[in-house]
Amino acid sequence: MTDSDVRARDVRGSHRPPNGGYGPPRQPPRTARTRRHRLWRLPLSLLLAVAVPTMITLVGAARTPGNESFEAKWADWLRSHHLAAVAKEFETIYYEQHAPKKGGRPQALNPVVKPSPPGGSATGRTITVAHHLTPPVAIPLVVTPALPGEGQWQPVGPLVGGVPGMYVAQFRADTTYTSQITSAVWIDPSLLRVSLVPGATEPGGVWSQPPDITGAALATTIAAFNGGFRFHDAHGGFYLDGRFAVPLQSGAASIVIYRDGSVDVGAWGTNLAMTPDVQAVLQNLVLIVDHARSASNATYGDAKLWGSTIGTKTVVARSGIGVTASGALVYVAGPALSARSLAESLQRAGAVRAMSLDINPEWVTFNFFQHPATDPGRVDAAKLYPQMERPATRYLGPTEESRDFFTVSLPAGGP
C-alpha cells in the first residue's frame, strides 16, 4: 500500500476514530427516545412537587380529632400550619362559585319548633317566676312585600313558669338576596341559663364540663349554638371558672356570663372588665354593633380585625350574638350573609352591642332539644333553619365537639 493510499483512507475517515483520535470519546447523537425521556422528567418533577405537600396536608387533616367534615379539618390544618392564605383562597373561590342567586322570593318562612306546654320537660317540675324580660318587638323589615309572619317573634322551647324563655323571628337580611331567610333567637337570661362549653381542641385541655352534652346536663339543656373562630384567627381569648385557657385581649369583642346568670356583650376593657362575678368570657374579633349601630372600628376588610378567613364581603353562612338594652341575648344566623348584613341583622333584631361568631355552613349551628315528659330518656332535636349542614344532634354526646359552644338550659328546679 502506497503513502497516497494511506492518506486517501485517512481523509475518508475509514479508520480514524470519531473524535479524530484526540480528547474523550464523543457522545452518540441524541435519539428521539432520549429526548422524550428527558421531557417526561420535567412534568414528573412538577407533579411530585405538588403531590407530596398535598398528601402531607391530607394525611394531617385526616388525623385531626373532631367530629367535623374532612373539608373543615383540612381547612383548619392549613391554617394551623402557616397556610391560611391557601385555605382562604380555596374557600373564597368555592363560596363565590356557590353564592346564592340574587333576587327571588321564598314561598314561606321555615317551620318553627312549637313551644312545649308548661311542665313539658324531662324534669316534670315547675318553678315560680319572680321576674322576666318584656317580650321583643317586631323586627323592622327591608324587603316588601313581607312574607306572612316575617319579622314577628314566635315563642319556642319549654315555658318557664308559664312564660316563654325564647322566641324566634325570621326575615330577609337585605334587598339583594331576597330569597334567603335569616333567623334570630331571643333568649331571656332571667328565665334560662346560658353556659360556655370548652371544645376538645378549641381551647382544649381538661375541664369540669366535657366537650359535649351528656349526663345530668342532657335533661335540662334545651338549646345549643356555636361559639367563635379558632383562637388563632379570633384575636381573642377564653376564660372559664377562674382559668385563662387563652389570654384575654383588650379591645376584643367579648361575651361575658356572670355567676348570677346575666349575660353581656361588649369590648373588653371598655364596656367589660374582669370582676369576681365573671364566670366565663369568650372573645372573637371586634364589635360589629355598638351603641345600637354598626361599629365604626369594624371596617369589614381588615385581616387584623377579621382574621385569616374568607373575605368579609363573601356571602356565606354567618352567625353573631348581641345583647339588647333590656339584657336579653340575641343570636342571629343565616345561610347568605356578609359581615355587613350580619351586623345590620343583629341591629334590627334589637342588639345594642354585638359580635361575630363562627362562619360557613360547617360551623354555624343552632339546635333546639325537646325532652318529652312521657319518655325522659328521649331527646328530640331540631335545627334553627334547614340549611344548617351539621345534624340537629350536634353537641350531644358521646361524640366530643372540637370547638367551644354555648348551651341554653332550664333553671334549677325545672320549667
Side-chain angles (χ1 to χ4, degrees):
M1 180 181 297
T2 65
D3 291 341
S4 59
D5 292 334
V6 172
R7 288 194 298 271
R9 295 183 63 178
D10 285 344
V11 170
R12 292 194 299 269
S14 58
H15 295 286
R16 190 180 295 274
N19 61 350
Y22 306 99
R26 293 178 180 176
Q27 298 296 324
R30 292 181 181 178
T31 64
R33 181 177 180 181
T34 302
R35 288 193 295 269
R36 287 196 301 270
H37 177 71
R38 293 195 173 187
L39 288 175
W40 267 104
R41 293 174 62 184
L42 180 60
L44 181 60
S45 300
L46 293 175
L47 178 62
L48 290 175
V50 174
V52 172
T54 301
M55 287 301 299
I56 293 174
T57 67
L58 295 177
V59 172
R63 297 176 63 182
T64 301
N67 58 358
E68 62 268 21
S69 68
F70 176 80
E71 291 81 359
K73 290 183 178 181
W74 187 55
D76 280 355
W77 193 95
L78 292 174
R79 290 192 173 96
S80 299
H81 292 78
H82 310 291
L83 293 170
V86 176
K88 177 181 178 180
E89 189 65 24
F90 276 123
E91 289 183 331
T92 300
I93 292 173
Y94 175 85
Y95 290 126
E96 287 179 350
Q97 291 179 345
H98 293 80
K101 294 181 180 179
K102 298 179 180 180
R105 177 182 170 88
Q107 294 182 351
L109 298 176
N110 297 317
V112 175
V113 178
K114 295 181 179 180
S116 304
S121 81
T123 63
R125 293 176 290 178
T126 60
I127 63 172
T128 301
V129 175
H131 68 278
H132 61 87
L133 301 180
T134 303
V137 298
I139 295 178
L141 303 181
V142 296
V143 180
T144 56
L147 298 168
E150 185 174 5
Q152 302 297 316
W153 294 96
Q154 303 181 56
V156 296
L159 303 178
V160 181
V163 179
M166 291 190 295
Y167 290 83
V168 167
Q170 302 176 68
F171 54 95
R172 266 79 64 82
D174 54 44
T175 57
T176 302
Y177 299 95
T178 53
S179 65
Q180 302 296 316
I181 298 173
T182 296
S183 299
V185 184
W186 183 95
I187 303 169
D188 185 348
S190 67
L191 296 177
L192 300 171
R193 181 75 188 189
V194 178
S195 302
L196 174 62
V197 181
T201 58
E202 296 285 330
V206 179
W207 302 83
S208 59
Q209 168 65 50
D212 53 25
I213 305 171
T214 53
L218 183 60
T220 58
T221 302
I222 60 174
F225 57 92
N226 61 273
F229 286 9
R230 295 169 60 250
F231 290 103
H232 180 77
D233 300 314
H235 302 300
F238 183 102
Y239 172 86
L240 180 64
D241 294 335
R243 290 174 53 189
F244 292 92
V246 183
L248 301 180
Q249 302 296 316
S250 179
S254 309
I255 175 172
V256 177
I257 303 174
Y258 295 94
R259 297 189 185 280
D260 65 357
S262 59
V263 185
D264 204 353
V265 175
W268 192 254
T270 302
N271 312 111
L272 305 168
M274 183 59 68
T275 70
D277 296 325
V278 172
Q279 183 182 43
V281 182
L282 178 68
Q283 297 182 322
N284 198 59
L285 307 177
V286 297
L287 290 179
I288 59 175
V289 175
D290 196 12
H291 297 94
R293 59 181 181 270
S294 295
S296 59
N297 64 333
T299 62
Y300 305 100
D302 189 342
K304 293 181 180 179
L305 296 180
W306 294 95
S308 300
T309 59
I310 58 178
T312 57
K313 295 182 180 180
T314 302
V315 176
V316 69
R318 297 178 186 267
S319 63
I321 198 160
V323 63
T324 70
S326 66
L329 204 59
V330 178
Y331 173 95
V332 169
L337 294 170
S338 66
R340 177 70 67 176
S341 61
L342 172 63
E344 293 172 348
S345 296
L346 282 159
Q347 178 187 7
R348 288 161 54 198
V352 294
R353 292 182 300 277
M355 57 188 280
S356 292
L357 291 178
D358 221 335
I359 62 175
N360 88 40
E362 177 70 27
W363 298 111
V364 176
T365 303
F366 193 112
N367 294 332
F368 297 100
F369 307 122
Q370 290 186 318
H371 309 268
T374 56
D375 187 1
R378 194 181 86 198
V379 178
D380 295 331
K383 301 178 184 179
L384 175 60
Y385 61 80
Q387 295 97 322
M388 289 181 168
E389 288 191 357
R390 302 290 288 277
T393 54
R394 182 189 179 188
Y395 306 125
L396 299 181
T399 303
E400 295 185 342
E401 178 61 31
S402 61
R403 295 192 184 182
D404 51 78
F405 63 97
F406 293 89
T407 60
V408 182
S409 304
L410 296 169

